[in-house]
Amino acid sequence: MTASQILPAQAAKQALEIKAATFSLPLIRLLDNALDQLALQVEEKIAQAPDLFLHTPVVIDLSGLPEDQEIGSFPELVGVLRAVGMMPIGLRGGNALQQQAAKAMELAILSETRPRAKPEQRHEEQEPPAAAIEAAAAMPSIEVGSKVIAHPVRSGQKVYTAGGDLTVIGPVNSGAELMADGNIHVYGPLRGRVFAGIKGNEQARIFCQHLHAELIAIAGQYRVSENIPSELKGARVQIFLDQETLKIERF
Amino acid sequence: MARIVVITSGKGGVGKTTTAAAVGMGLALLGHRTVVVDFDVGLRNLDLIMGCERRVVYDFINVIQGDAKLNQALIRDKRCDKLYILPASQTRDKDALTKDGVGQVLDELKRHHDYVICDSPAGIEHGAMMAMYYADDAIVVTNPEVSSVRDADRMLGILSSKSRRAETDVEPITEYLLLTRYSPERVNRGEMLSIADVQEILSLPMIGVIPESQAVLNASNAGIPVILDQQSDAGRAYQDTVSRYLGGELPMRFIDAKKGFLGRIFGGA
Ligand SMILES: Nc1ncnc2c1ncn2[C@@H]1O[C@H](COP(=O)(O)OP(=O)(O)O)[C@@H](O)[C@H]1O
Ligand SMILES: [Mg+2]
């Protein structure tokens, strides 16, 4: 007898579906066992791009440490990462004790796979001059999709969208920074710095209603304000890459 | 429920202390129990502007460090018995303002007052962070010039990410923009940003526009909050600001250039 024969028809509605999906996640690979050093360096990285890792699932990788090397307490390590907003979800590598500690904290134990080959490194001089960009470029994409921000992005604030588009409804002020793996849309004056296709996606575009940007960049090709033609200042434009050169076009 | 209001800006010399004294006095005159707290450790000029510098015995840091009780350090204003001042220390180092210590003092002040006004030091360093951390409302003071507006913008970003309200994910700080030292004549000559320019960049509601005024200098030299000078344009602009903060809807005054001699004779524009 199957389930549908026992249950009344309306209760037999399908409640779930199991499918395979692939996610690539940032790997926090420990190169040394000193937790206090780790905490400091994590905080430094976060300070460069506060939103980059906020609520981001990460995998802890201990395979770079010798088998017998202890890393203080494993829960403490998880605590360090959570304190800066990351969400550790699994462990790769590590000895039996460390894996046991991970299981006790309900982290998944992930099998050892060869790390994917790094995307080809682009020329140094093509890189936009921002430390945050390097941090973002070094990370694998996380499929977290797009983000919409409905408030002003102010001087000193940085917003990064991994694996999708970033849309801002409101002004992006001078001294603010937008970064996205995909396109960037700004419905409001754009006065800050914008980096679309930050991990090398040359198809990414920037759309804005009033162009006053300090810097625009797509896939590492960039232009600063003084190299933006003055007749395009304040205009509604789209910015895209054509044969590795940035094109700014009214639309 | 008492509200903690920070007067902040990023940039120095824009009129924060002038505003803290005026708004504090304005709220107290309307019958609200109000205390103004000076966070500017090392400079300590709120008490000068309030005219109570000779009555300072203990200060904010004495209270945080347990050397004095809060009511020993509080100074009651001689002109308005609803108003108190908690002076800053002139000598001690800024790190004495600990997060927990500040939190405890503000909590205690909230029990006995309706409004706790925090006069922030300039910059985005420790003292300024402590002044804004516990705020419910923020009055961001800016002058009509680019660098001041940019610093205000940065401070607004910090308010929305580094305050207790932001960290605990409750309703964010209510932000108000106050434009001070506004000179319509200089705006007309293109030497300063206009009200519309400032509002457009910061995209926040404007709670007041205080004109550049000799009355402010006279008042602070005399140790009288300028809001008590009911004849002056700046004093009346601060009164309007306090009314707007309390929910009143008033048109902005003193924002048009004074007419020259011919303008006064012929009227109109
Ligand atoms: N509306 C105004 N008109 C003229 N001078 C002003 C005005 N507001 C402030 N000032 C002057 O500017 C200086 C700085 O003001 P203050 O309130 O101490 O600023 P802050 O606390 O932001 O450093 C003082 O000399 C003050 O008298
Ligand atoms: Mg001051």
Side-chain angles (χ1 to χ4, degrees), chain B:
Chain B
M1 190 59 190
R3 295 200 69 86
I4 299 181
V5 187
V6 64
I7 315 291
T8 186
S9 71
K11 197 164 195 288
V14 295
K16 289 181 295 295
T17 302
T18 304
T19 300
V23 169
M25 179 62 86
L27 288 167
L29 287 173
L30 293 172
H32 302 290
R33 295 168 304 165
T34 305
V35 57
V36 188
V37 183
D38 191 350
F39 277 78
D40 206 344
V41 174
L43 284 178
R44 203 192 98 179
N45 53 24
L46 177 71
D47 49 335
L48 288 170
I49 292 187
M50 302 287 283
C52 63
E53 71 280 7
R54 273 182 245 99
R55 296 161 62 207
V56 174
V57 181
Y58 293 111
D59 58 53
F60 193 5
I61 286 174
N62 291 137
V63 178
I64 288 179
Q65 297 184 332
D67 301 332
K69 292 220 173 64
L70 184 55
N71 56 19
Q72 291 179 296
L74 282 175
I75 302 172
R76 184 182 222 147
D77 191 86
K78 288 209 163 131
R79 295 151 294 208
C80 179
D81 65 2
K82 298 279 190 210
L83 182 63
Y84 286 84
I85 291 106
L86 182 57
S89 143
Q90 209 151 25
T91 50
R92 275 167 249 254
D93 90 294
K94 300 182 189 344
D95 294 335
L97 286 178
T98 61
K99 201 183 244 183
D100 288 348
V102 170
Q104 278 165 18
V105 173
L106 293 182
D107 267 348
E108 201 174 333
L109 288 172
K110 275 175 90 168
R111 262 183 261 133
H112 306 287
H113 296 86
D114 303 314
Y115 293 101
V116 181
I117 312 288
C118 303
D119 179 21
S120 174
I124 50 172
E125 310 295 310
H126 184 70
M129 300 303 270
M130 288 299 102
M132 68 82 176
Y133 185 74
Y134 293 98
D136 302 304
D137 300 329
I139 297 182
V140 177
V141 180
T142 186
N143 294 159
E145 39 122 350
V146 173
S147 68
S148 160
V149 169
R150 170 128 177 197
D151 282 1
D153 190 50
R154 176 167 285 247
M155 184 46 79
L156 284 162
I158 291 172
L159 288 171
S160 64
S161 59
K162 298 268 161 65
S163 62
R164 182 173 61 171
R165 280 180 174 268
E167 286 176 4
T168 54
D169 248 347
V170 293
E171 198 186 316
I173 294 179
T174 311
E175 301 160 340
Y176 304 94
L177 184 61
L178 180 68
L179 185 57
T180 61
R181 312 202 66 165
Y182 189 75
S183 161
E185 290 81 12
R186 295 192 60 191
V187 172
N188 286 350
R189 289 201 297 270
E191 295 166 10
M192 278 186 165
L193 299 174
S194 69
I195 297 175
D197 290 341
V198 175
Q199 192 138 29
E200 212 250 334
I201 296 173
L202 295 176
S203 49
L204 262 195
M206 190 87 74
I207 197 180
V209 177
I210 314 296
E212 172 78 22
S213 167
Q214 180 64 34
V216 172
L217 303 176
N218 298 344
S220 67
N221 287 337
I224 301 168
V226 69
I227 199 167
L228 291 174
D229 182 354
Q230 314 234 354
Q231 305 309 312
S232 69
D233 48 0
R236 285 185 285 161
Y238 271 119
Q239 283 174 359
D240 290 357
T241 301
V242 171
S243 303
R244 286 190 203 99
Y245 172 71
L246 295 172
E249 284 180 28
L250 293 84
M252 296 288 175
R253 297 195 274 176
F254 319 111
I255 56 175
D256 296 318
K258 292 192 186 77
K259 291 187 184 120
F261 177 68
L262 288 178
R264 260 180 279 145
I265 291 179
F266 295 110

Side-chain angles (χ1 to χ4, degrees), chain A residues 165-177:
Chain A
D165 287 8
L166 172 58
T167 304
V168 177
I169 307 168
V172 175
N173 280 349
S174 163
E177 222 166 85

Side-chain angles (χ1 to χ4, degrees), chain A residues 22-190:
Chain A
T22 322
F23 299 94
S24 44
L25 302 173
L27 212 55
I28 308 297
R29 194 169 152 80
L30 261 62
L31 304 175
D32 190 80
N33 65 345
L35 266 188
D36 46 347
Q37 269 307 310
L38 173 85
L40 272 179
Q41 291 179 14
V42 165
E43 274 166 27
E44 269 170 33
K45 283 238 187 305
I46 297 290
Q48 288 171 4
D51 288 334
L52 205 57
F53 293 102
L54 196 62
H55 308 312
T56 298
V58 299
V59 173
I60 297 170
D61 184 359
L62 298 181
S63 61
L65 294 179
E67 271 272 314
D68 55 340
Q69 197 167 7
E70 274 307 328
I71 41 128
S73 98
F74 187 78
E76 219 174 291
L77 168 61
V78 172
V80 166
L81 300 179
R82 285 195 179 142
V84 296
M86 297 184 190
M87 298 167 47
I89 58 159
L91 170 66
R92 191 162 89 169
N95 58 31
L97 267 176
Q98 288 159 344
Q99 293 195 352
Q100 206 177 348
K103 278 186 202 152
M105 296 186 78
E106 312 220 306
L107 297 196
I109 307 300
L110 302 170
S111 59
E112 299 266 353
T113 46
R114 298 245 121 234
R116 271 191 304 159
K118 272 195 197 155
E120 205 181 307
Q121 207 64 42
R122 268 164 289 127
H123 289 303
E124 200 61 51
E125 62 266 30
Q126 283 183 339
E127 288 289 331
I133 309 318
E134 285 157 33
M139 281 174 54
S141 289
I142 325 154
E143 260 76 19
V144 293
S146 300
K147 183 148 69 180
V148 177
I149 304 240
H151 56 73
V153 185
R154 301 191 180 278
S155 178
Q157 295 186 315
K158 292 185 166 87
V159 184
Y160 170 59
T161 312
D165 287 8
L166 172 58
T167 304
V168 177
I169 307 168
V172 175
N173 280 349
S174 163
E177 222 166 85
L178 303 183
M179 299 170 275
D181 290 352
N183 306 311
I184 294 179
H185 313 256
V186 179
Y187 298 95
L190 168 54

Side-chain angles (χ1 to χ4, degrees), chain A residues 212-228:
Chain A
H212 299 282
E214 292 169 322
L215 185 150
I216 50 178
I218 293 173
Q221 302 288 342
Y222 70 95
R223 249 199 242 188
V224 293
S225 163
E226 58 193 49
N227 298 330
I228 297 174

